[in-house]
Amino acid sequence: MLRERARGFADVELNSGVTTLRGLGEYDNEAVALGRESESGQWLGPRIMASGPLLAITGGHGAELGVARIVDAPWEGRKAVRQNLRLGATSIKIAATGGVTDAKVVGEAGRPQMTTEEMTAICEEAHSAGVLVAAHAQSPEGVLRSLKAGVDTIEHGSAMTDEIVELFHDNPKSLRGWSAFDATLLAAAPLVEIDTEITGASEVVKENARIVLDSMVQGIRDAITSDVVLGSGLDSSMTFTPHYAMWRELDLVVSRAGLSTARALEAVTRVNAKMLGLESVTGAVEPGLSADLLVLGANPLDDLKALEGVETVVVRGSVIDSPAVERFGEIDELLDTLRR
């Protein structure tokens, strides 16, 4: 059941224009299996990099939701990486800090959870297999510890210090000698800006979301001014983050953090490919790269909403004419109120 639901979500992603995606957390390796099927041609789906269950400490972010392997010591981290890789994971995800949705008190989101020693062991084990490590990290201290441990991509992120910026540029423990920042605003913004009577968010969740959102926006601004490798992701499957809403994520980064529309489009194509180590495979329209293309009805440089009007998707050279996506009208109307 999980695999078929995941296949449906991946189909939505593909039909909305996402030809390559990275899954960072799953219950039972369903995305790992789908990635294998897509790569072998058993199923026309997007290219999928999947992490298997994320790695978290006892009581940490994601642990109570059942989507994590528990890691409470460096050797437990190595074991968890080995288990995920053995099952076919092509990336690794760790919960370095607390998160918004399962925080019990204000300030828990972003509070460091996994130790630097635990994260270092995880990174060393993954890197020995040539696999990148992503870290959920939502505070400067959490980001700093993650980068010092050798994490390759920071998910969500925070405001940056000079030390953090330097580690993004020059990170000797990372797989490639540098690390990247994966901006995600859409999961938090509705919790802050839409009435709680509609979202159902508690005051604790709303305040944690506000703290995290403000810090993430500043982090994106810092990344822009400091020329940190800045990609863009979608924290999909959250209530206000439909799988077809990647364009809304870009729209928020442009309107809230000041990224230009052209750079936002580059972030979600060429830069994301570089961030995931796929620049020799996809991310640009160049000879020798995979034929992963979108045909739109309007110019997204004029309005990113044009990305919602996908007329044709080409993935690995296979053409999907008139791609169709079932949308949630009520959710979309609420999300439209976030546009500026």
Side-chain angles (χ1 to χ4, degrees):
M1 181 191 75
L2 284 172
R3 188 174 300 181
E4 290 312 305
R5 285 182 65 89
R7 190 190 306 276
F9 295 147
D11 279 334
V12 171
E13 296 270 6
L14 180 59
N15 280 268
S16 68
V18 176
T19 58
T20 300
L21 64 86
R22 179 178 53 160
L24 293 177
E26 51 195 293
Y27 284 95
D28 192 28
N29 296 289
E30 57 274 7
V32 170
L34 290 176
R36 189 182 298 118
E37 291 176 10
S38 178
E39 195 67 30
S40 66
Q42 299 176 55
W43 163 63
L44 182 58
R47 183 180 294 100
I48 299 175
M49 295 180 67
S51 71
L54 68 89
L55 311 184
I57 65 167
T58 296
H61 181 54
E64 295 181 1
L65 300 177
V67 294
R69 293 191 190 278
I70 304 304
V71 170
D72 288 319
W75 274 107
E76 289 184 7
R78 290 183 182 274
K79 178 180 178 180
V81 171
R82 292 169 182 174
Q83 289 173 319
N84 280 9
L85 294 180
R86 179 66 175 174
L87 292 169
T90 51
S91 62
I92 295 295
K93 167 75 176 294
I94 62 177
T97 73
V100 170
T101 52
D102 52 2
K104 301 296 190 295
V105 296
V106 173
E108 184 177 347
R111 184 178 298 162
Q113 291 183 340
M114 194 173 286
T115 67
T116 304
E117 292 75 17
E118 289 163 342
M119 291 189 287
T120 298
I122 288 167
C123 289
E124 289 177 352
E125 196 67 32
H127 293 164
S128 69
V131 171
L132 299 170
V133 178
H136 163 103
Q138 295 182 310
S139 67
E141 183 60 27
V143 170
L144 181 61
R145 292 186 188 188
S146 300
L147 293 174
K148 285 183 174 180
V151 160
D152 302 288
T153 66
I154 296 293
E155 312 305 314
H156 318 306
S158 69
M160 298 184 190
T161 63
D162 290 343
E163 186 176 12
I164 287 173
V165 169
E166 179 59 30
L167 279 168
F168 270 116
H169 286 298
D170 181 12
N171 191 342
K173 288 188 177 181
S174 68
L175 184 61
R176 298 167 294 184
W178 53 271
S179 298
F181 178 27
D182 184 16
T184 61
L185 300 180
L186 188 57
L191 299 177
V192 177
E193 300 180 18
I194 298 175
D195 195 294
T196 55
E197 290 188 5
I198 297 174
T199 64
S202 68
E203 288 303 318
V204 168
V205 167
K206 181 175 181 177
E207 182 59 17
N208 276 319
R210 184 193 65 76
I211 294 169
V212 166
L213 180 63
D214 290 346
S215 189
M216 283 195 294
V217 169
Q218 184 58 52
I220 296 169
R221 292 171 178 162
D222 294 339
I224 295 169
T225 58
S226 302
D227 201 26
V228 168
V229 176
L230 177 65
S232 188
L234 186 67
D235 211 353
S236 47
S237 284
M238 300 296 287
T239 304
F240 293 95
T241 315
H243 284 272
Y244 55 77
M246 187 66 231
W247 75 269
R248 293 188 182 274
E249 184 66 56
L250 301 179
D251 195 52
L252 284 176
V253 173
V254 168
S255 64
R256 307 303 170 87
L259 190 68
S260 70
T261 302
R263 283 195 65 183
L265 292 171
E266 184 182 32
V268 82
T269 52
R270 186 186 297 273
V271 178
N272 270 2
K274 176 181 178 180
M275 185 171 70
L276 301 182
L278 297 174
E279 63 268 41
S280 64
V281 177
T282 188
V285 183
E286 295 178 357
L289 297 188
S290 176
D292 300 325
L293 306 165
L294 305 184
V295 178
L296 306 175
N299 187 351
L301 289 171
D302 297 330
D303 186 348
L304 286 166
K305 189 177 174 64
L307 292 169
E308 195 172 66
V310 179
E311 296 184 352
T312 303
V313 176
V314 183
V315 57
R316 297 190 191 88
S318 295
V319 179
I320 303 173
D321 287 316
S322 303
V325 172
E326 181 181 356
R327 303 183 186 277
F328 305 106
E330 186 177 358
I331 296 294
D332 287 342
E333 287 179 10
L334 291 169
L335 293 177
D336 282 341
T337 67
L338 303 180
R339 299 200 73 195
R340 293 178 181 174

